[in-house]
Amino acid sequence: MNKIENTISILGCGWLGLALAEFLIKNHYFVNASVRKTEKFTSLKNLGINPYLIQLSPHININYDKSFFDSKTLIVNFPAKGRNDIIDYHSKQVLSLIKEIKQSPIENVIFISSTSVYANCNSLVKESENKIPESETGKALRIAEDLFLNEKSFKSTIIRFGGLFGYDRKAGRFFAGKKQIKGGETPVNLIHRDDCVGIINHIIKNNCWNDIYNACCPQHPKKRDFYLQAAKLEGFDLPEFINSLEQFKIISSEKLIHETGYKFNFSNPIEAL
């Protein structure tokens, strides 16, 4: 196997990207990872990661090092920026990126998306759901997903993650000490970082390309039950919830489990606290 075959590039080496990079290195991959500031280069090099400066503002920075794309697989893991023109801006970012991918050896792309692509429909939601989401971020991500899936010069898989938590991203801090919080009866759609890393690795190892997968804990406790337990276990002031039900969606990970054989580390997010 040549080096490109055994190299994975991660565009966006933040909280999830860094954990993924460390996991892949332990599993004998070479890893290229992009950041937006060169100040992070030393710490990445110390972990055995090859760092690159790549910015999409919205077009890729002119003199970036093209060897970043010398890999078989690319993980696209940067958020859609919250701004007034988010749909147009994020589309330009993705189009600029796709142009570079097409000129590279990359064969497979994983695009990290979000369950914000779904509207609140007060029911179970599967990957085939096409109702227009309420948020501009959700709309921007839908367009970005389609840009990748409609590009035929490489294979793309979309992962729609729920709310990420774990390690230093402590769920108990989110509502700590707050009063009269609405929606205590509303089901949550969450996923631990260990499962995020595990799912990405599982898709790569099993060649699950040209598809879309929801990725949330299969069980969806009530907001009140999860965040009260998180605050209690993590030592934060307990929040107080109103026992009401807000607009919601329950994200189904059934396709990921049954079609790819992935087994969650944490079926219930409360187990991960």
Side-chain angles (χ1 to χ4, degrees):
M1 183 182 290
N2 63 38
K3 188 173 180 181
I4 288 178
E5 284 275 323
N6 204 37
T7 298
I8 295 176
S9 298
I10 303 173
L11 185 71
C13 194
W15 186 74
L16 172 58
L18 181 59
L20 175 63
E22 292 183 281
F23 174 88
L24 292 171
I25 286 170
K26 287 177 184 175
N27 285 271
H28 311 296
Y29 287 99
F30 299 103
V31 175
N32 300 332
S34 81
V35 289
R36 292 180 55 81
K37 295 180 180 179
T38 55
E39 287 85 347
K40 297 181 179 180
F41 276 21
T42 300
S43 61
L44 293 180
K45 286 178 180 176
N46 289 339
L47 294 169
I49 301 166
N50 303 315
Y52 291 82
L53 181 70
I54 295 186
Q55 299 166 331
L56 292 162
S57 303
H59 304 291
I60 200 163
N61 45 304
I62 294 171
N63 294 319
Y64 83 94
D65 186 341
K66 292 184 182 295
S67 67
F68 170 77
F69 291 105
D70 286 345
S71 61
K72 183 178 180 180
T73 301
L74 170 68
I75 317 295
V76 179
N77 178 43
F78 69 96
K81 280 192 169 185
R83 45 188 293 152
N84 292 334
D85 61 344
I86 184 173
I87 294 174
D88 180 62
Y89 190 86
H90 195 56
S91 297
K92 287 176 179 175
Q93 288 180 303
V94 171
L95 287 168
S96 179
L97 178 58
I98 288 174
K99 181 181 176 182
E100 301 304 317
I101 297 171
K102 290 171 69 174
Q103 300 172 32
S104 78
I106 287 170
E107 298 177 18
N108 308 309
V109 172
I110 293 177
F111 179 65
I112 304 301
S113 188
S114 160
T115 55
S116 65
V117 300
Y118 296 117
N120 286 321
C121 53
N122 299 329
S123 63
L124 188 71
V125 174
K126 297 185 177 181
E127 288 82 353
S128 57
E129 175 59 60
N130 283 318
K131 289 181 182 175
I132 297 171
E134 293 86 1
S135 73
E136 294 299 290
T137 299
K139 293 171 187 174
L141 285 172
R142 277 276 185 179
I143 292 168
E145 289 181 359
D146 288 342
L147 289 171
F148 278 108
L149 291 171
N150 292 332
E151 178 54 57
K152 302 306 178 187
S153 60
F154 52 83
K155 299 172 184 175
S156 295
T157 284
I158 311 300
I159 307 177
R160 294 168 174 167
F161 283 131
L164 275 62
F165 73 101
Y167 300 101
D168 57 323
R169 190 174 285 188
K170 295 186 180 298
R173 184 182 292 123
F174 195 74
F175 291 112
K178 294 183 179 179
K179 312 291 184 184
Q180 298 294 299
I181 304 164
K182 295 179 180 179
E185 297 289 309
T186 307
V188 297
N189 299 294
L190 298 167
I191 185 166
H192 192 274
R193 191 176 72 183
D194 286 352
D195 273 313
C196 295
V197 170
I199 290 164
I200 294 168
N201 178 59
H202 186 77
I203 284 170
I204 294 169
K205 284 182 65 178
N206 292 280
N207 292 306
C208 303
W209 304 115
N210 292 330
D211 219 327
I212 302 172
Y213 298 104
N214 291 337
C216 287
C217 294
Q219 295 179 40
H220 305 267
K222 295 174 182 179
K223 183 198 287 190
R224 178 194 62 237
D225 295 342
F226 176 78
Y227 286 104
L228 270 174
Q229 184 71 352
K232 188 182 300 182
L233 292 175
E234 294 165 358
F236 295 102
D237 291 338
L238 298 184
E240 294 179 4
F241 289 90
I242 298 171
N243 293 334
S244 60
L245 186 66
E246 294 183 310
Q247 291 286 308
F248 69 92
K249 54 203 172 195
I250 299 175
I251 305 299
S252 170
S253 294
E254 184 179 335
K255 179 180 176 181
L256 175 71
I257 295 166
H258 293 298
E259 292 191 9
T260 77
Y262 182 74
K263 295 180 181 179
F264 276 81
N265 294 300
F266 304 106
S267 292
N268 188 326
I270 293 177
E271 297 169 359
L273 295 171

